[in-house]
Amino acid sequence: MLSRTSLASWQALNVHAKQMKFRHMNEFFATDKQRFEHFSVNAPSLLLDYSKNLVTQETMLKLMALAQESDVITWREKMFSGERINSTENRAVLHTALRSGSEQSINIDGANVAQQVAASLDKMKTFTEQVRSGDWLGYTGKRITDIVNIGVGGSNLGPQMVTEALKPYSDNRVRVHYVSNVDGTQIANVLRPLNPENVLFIVSSKTFTTTETMTNANTARQWLIASSFDEKSVAKHFIAVSANVNNVSNFGIEADNIFDMWDWVGGRFSLWSAIGLPIALDLGFEKFKELLVGANEMDQHFCQTPLEQNAPVILALLSVWNCTFLGAQSQAILPYDQSLHMFSAYMQQAEMESNGKSVSWHGNAIDYPTVPSIWGALGINGQHAFYQYLHQSNNIVPADFIGSIESVTPVKGHHSTLMANFFAQSQALMSGVDEQQVRADLKAKGRTQEYIDKVSPHKVHKGNRPTNTILMKRISPKSLGSLIALYEHKIFVQGIILQICSFDQWGVELGKGLANEIQQELEQNITNGNHDSSTNSLISFFKSSFR
Ligand code: G6Q
């Protein structure tokens, strides 16, 4: 298959980008009074305003032509129908089936996916109700008050981000904690205040081989047995979510307490599966289902809406426009809602692990810029930290502003202050302030000419910095489900346009393998000496100095 660069739409965008680099968004807003109407769409639970991008109607037409020529529609059908589009791992990509509520059968390796999903959801429901009602008892007959989820990467970030976002919806029947880091400090801090008699551990690992998770799970197991003096207590206090039943059984977790994972769900897309159990335990199963409903509504929007009005497609095309054609190298995710304080970290994994690659589907080197690095933090905190860079650095950082019309926990006088900043920042990033204005403002304040000459260049803001604004009514299980699915599909479309295998993660696997080798050197007094001289010397310095 030919590189995307050979497409007529790609070449047209290249020429167009060279002209657009000299335009300013201020000019577009001045000449089109309905720019907001022309460049915004409604999608389930949210409004997307993309008018503050360096785009005209012509740009959008050219980008839509690129989506058409890249066969986005055919690829979308392939994904939803269970074709093995994860080509390097020969797997289907069906996280959408986890929330479809559909009985329509998709067959993977002789099994009906719809039936597998329905059975898993039933099992999650029963289990969630047992624990939350106090029917599930620990080894001394006490109810479970604390859930500790042990998992890392895709088996941690999604559930933790959602748990944090939906805290106001928790009835606090159980407390949910997360352990992901193999640094013992984390598990020690989590376990210190807990009583083993009341704790239920969820070991979340698709492979059940991930060293960090296995190390933490073994520590948790020892902590429990140090109190119960009975290996059998593990059955009452450990459950697992995994595709590796053998390893889970060897760990001592009973078959009934294993929740399925499947090859057709990637870790970073798995919060909709039993990996989401901590969410269901925290909120109750019905609210977990609302999360699935919200995601499914976005799936429907993605499948049924023409590309021109399709929010995930638009977001993907704008990212390709800003990064591949206009040269931006990073993108900020800036939530103005405390509930979303982990959202940037979650998106960082979702996009960078999916599309942070430099080889095409066919194994050829990709010779165009692909996806940006993703970073960000709560917008208000960012304003007093890194926004300086967004406003005045030489590097353009496109940003997504995400906010809510209503606060989930209204406190008088707070929300309007928060949202005033939300609107002000994207306006300032777009319009900037030119030197003439800066000088006039300083003069009006009575500053001396000498001061004005000195300070004016520093106060100029060029503006023209692209932002998207995503506005939701309020954060709820349903709207959060829609928001996450919006970005999942954006990432998918980006991958299709850039010819990237979005669903593998060989870069993660490389590090896992190397660390296992080095761990043996550290623990068994072996000197391998086969590393580069820096790594060899660091290992020997570590061993000689700290033992
Ligand atoms: C996600 C990645 C990766 C994975 C972790 C944990 O898509 O594959 O982040 O989730 O490495 O893997 P396990 O669930 O197998 O422990």
Side-chain angles (χ1 to χ4, degrees):
M1 193 183 277
L2 292 172
S3 160
R4 291 289 187 238
T5 53
S6 65
L7 296 177
S9 54
W10 187 283
Q11 288 163 10
L13 279 161
N14 247 339
V15 174
H16 183 62
K18 288 191 183 104
Q19 298 154 355
M20 289 294 284
K21 277 180 183 163
F22 298 100
R23 311 284 297 273
H24 198 292
M25 280 181 247
N26 277 335
E27 171 202 331
F28 304 149
F29 276 95
T31 52
D32 179 3
K33 295 295 170 211
Q34 289 188 311
R35 188 167 166 85
F36 171 79
E37 284 77 9
H38 291 149
F39 297 94
S40 63
V41 290
N42 284 297
S45 296
L46 56 89
L47 165 88
L48 165 64
D49 168 26
Y50 60 99
S51 59
K52 295 190 184 88
N53 276 279
L54 194 61
V55 295
T56 58
Q57 308 260 23
E58 186 190 348
T59 319
M60 293 314 294
L61 284 174
K62 286 182 161 47
L63 287 169
M64 291 300 158
L66 176 61
Q68 292 287 2
E69 280 199 286
S70 306
D71 283 332
V72 165
I73 294 173
T74 313
W75 280 99
R76 182 180 66 192
E77 279 157 16
K78 287 185 189 188
M79 177 168 78
F80 277 81
S81 64
E83 268 196 48
R84 293 175 188 267
I85 62 167
N86 176 355
S87 56
T88 63
E89 296 181 317
N90 193 30
R91 291 175 181 171
V93 175
L94 277 173
H95 48 280
T96 51
L98 296 166
R99 58 219 189 190
S100 73
S102 162
E103 285 166 16
Q104 196 190 337
S105 125
I106 299 175
N107 244 293
I108 303 286
D109 298 329
N112 180 338
V113 163
Q115 278 174 6
Q116 288 178 308
V117 171
S120 179
L121 284 172
D122 274 352
K123 186 168 169 168
M124 282 175 75
K125 181 172 192 279
T126 308
F127 175 73
T128 302
E129 283 165 4
Q130 273 181 322
V131 173
R132 286 171 50 80
S133 65
D135 283 351
W136 181 288
L137 301 175
Y139 72 93
T140 54
K142 293 194 176 151
R143 67 177 291 164
I144 299 300
T145 56
D146 292 86
I147 310 288
V148 178
N149 190 79
I150 299 177
V152 70
S155 301
N156 162 262
L157 266 170
Q160 190 173 10
M161 181 275 286
V162 173
T163 301
E164 288 295 312
L166 298 180
K167 258 190 182 152
Y169 294 86
S170 168
D171 55 11
N172 300 315
R173 292 228 196 145
V174 291
R175 287 178 291 266
V176 177
H177 316 265
Y178 287 87
V179 173
S180 57
N181 197 341
V182 75
D183 183 334
T185 306
Q186 190 183 25
I187 192 161
N189 285 343
V190 167
L191 296 184
R192 193 173 300 116
L194 304 185
N195 178 349
E197 294 168 85
N198 304 113
V199 175
L200 180 81
F201 292 98
I202 306 176
V203 186
S204 271
S205 176
K206 186 172 160 184
T207 55
F208 225 76
T209 56
T210 306
T211 312
E212 295 89 329
T213 299
M214 290 305 110
T215 307
N216 280 322
N218 282 315
T219 299
R221 196 173 182 281
Q222 284 159 18
W223 179 77
L224 172 72
I225 293 170
S227 143
S228 68
F229 301 107
D230 184 358
E231 298 240 332
K232 289 201 193 99
S233 59
V234 171
K236 300 269 181 203
H237 292 268
F238 276 82
I239 65 156
V241 185
S242 183
N244 187 343
V245 175
N246 276 345
N247 279 23
V248 179
S249 303
N250 292 340
F251 183 88
I253 295 177
E254 294 197 341
D256 280 353
N257 297 341
I258 305 174
F259 290 78
D260 284 334
M261 265 288 275
W262 307 277
D263 272 353
W264 42 265
V265 183
R268 55 192 172 277
F269 301 96
S270 66
L271 71 89
W272 322 102
S273 70
I275 293 285
L277 258 178
I279 305 168
L281 286 162
D282 189 23
L283 305 178
F285 189 73
E286 289 313 310
K287 293 207 177 76
F288 178 72
K289 282 200 73 181
E290 286 171 31
L291 186 76
L292 304 188
V293 168
N296 180 249
E297 285 186 2
M298 189 57 76
D299 296 344
Q300 299 306 319
H301 168 86
F302 178 50
C303 287
Q304 291 165 9
T305 313
L307 299 188
E308 295 72 18
Q309 303 295 320
N310 196 309
V313 172
I314 292 169
L315 278 182
L317 289 170
L318 289 169
S319 177
V320 172
W321 173 242
N322 285 326
C323 301
T324 305
F325 292 99
L326 296 179
Q329 293 189 350
S330 79
Q331 165 155 18
I333 305 280
L334 306 171
Y336 279 70
D337 191 314
Q338 181 66 30
S339 303
L340 295 177
H341 75 94
M342 282 191 67
F343 194 71
S344 314
Y346 174 78
M347 286 313 309
Q348 197 168 51
Q349 178 190 28
E351 184 160 328
M352 293 173 79
E353 204 166 274
S354 298
N355 290 338
K357 295 159 192 171
S358 50
V359 168
S360 78
W361 297 324
H362 304 100
N364 303 321
I366 292 177
D367 55 356
Y368 42 83
T370 56
V371 297
S373 52
I374 302 286
W375 58 285
L378 284 177
I380 287 288
N381 296 343
Q383 281 176 216
H384 299 272
F386 56 78
Y387 272 40
Q388 166 62 39
Y389 186 98
L390 300 186
H391 284 287
Q392 286 190 306
S393 116
N394 263 339
N395 297 322
I396 304 285
V397 182
D400 286 0
F401 282 70
I402 306 171
S404 310
I405 295 167
E406 290 170 8
S407 169
V408 189
T409 35
V411 180
K412 197 165 178 278
H414 283 242
H415 199 60
S416 54
T417 308
L418 172 71
M419 293 309 281
N421 280 277
F422 175 81
F423 294 120
Q425 288 294 332
S426 61
Q427 181 186 326
L429 285 163
M430 188 280 289
S431 59
V433 193
D434 64 19
E435 187 160 354
Q436 203 185 350
Q437 184 67 50
V438 169
R439 285 180 175 274
D441 289 348
L442 290 172
K443 199 165 182 191
K445 284 183 182 147
R447 297 296 193 168
T448 63
Q449 194 56 42
E450 190 192 0
Y451 180 86
I452 293 173
D453 290 342
K454 185 177 167 196
V455 166
S456 291
H458 299 277
K459 290 185 69 115
V460 170
H461 291 61
K462 291 181 190 151
N464 218 20
R465 311 214 163 204
T467 59
N468 295 309
T469 300
I470 294 172
L471 207 44
M472 295 187 288
K473 182 150 193 285
R474 74 207 297 254
I475 293 288
S476 68
K478 193 161 152 233
S479 66
L480 183 63
S482 298
L483 179 71
I484 300 168
L486 167 78
Y487 277 98
E488 285 182 346
H489 295 317
K490 174 214 169 190
I491 290 164
F492 166 72
V493 174
Q494 254 176 315
I496 297 303
I497 290 174
L498 300 168
Q499 294 187 308
I500 287 171
C501 296
S502 301
F503 299 102
D504 59 20
Q505 55 282 314
W506 299 106
V508 179
E509 314 300 337
L510 172 69
K512 283 186 183 181
L514 262 179
N516 287 342
E517 273 178 38
I518 294 178
Q519 188 171 350
Q520 287 179 15
E521 281 184 69
L522 299 185
E523 289 174 355
Q524 294 170 14
N525 209 20
I526 305 168
T527 303
N528 170 323
N530 286 341
H531 313 284
D532 57 83
S533 64
S534 160
T535 310
N536 280 335
S537 307
L538 287 168
I539 291 172
S540 74
F541 182 77
F542 174 88
K543 287 168 82 166
S544 62
S545 309
F546 298 108
R547 293 251 148 153

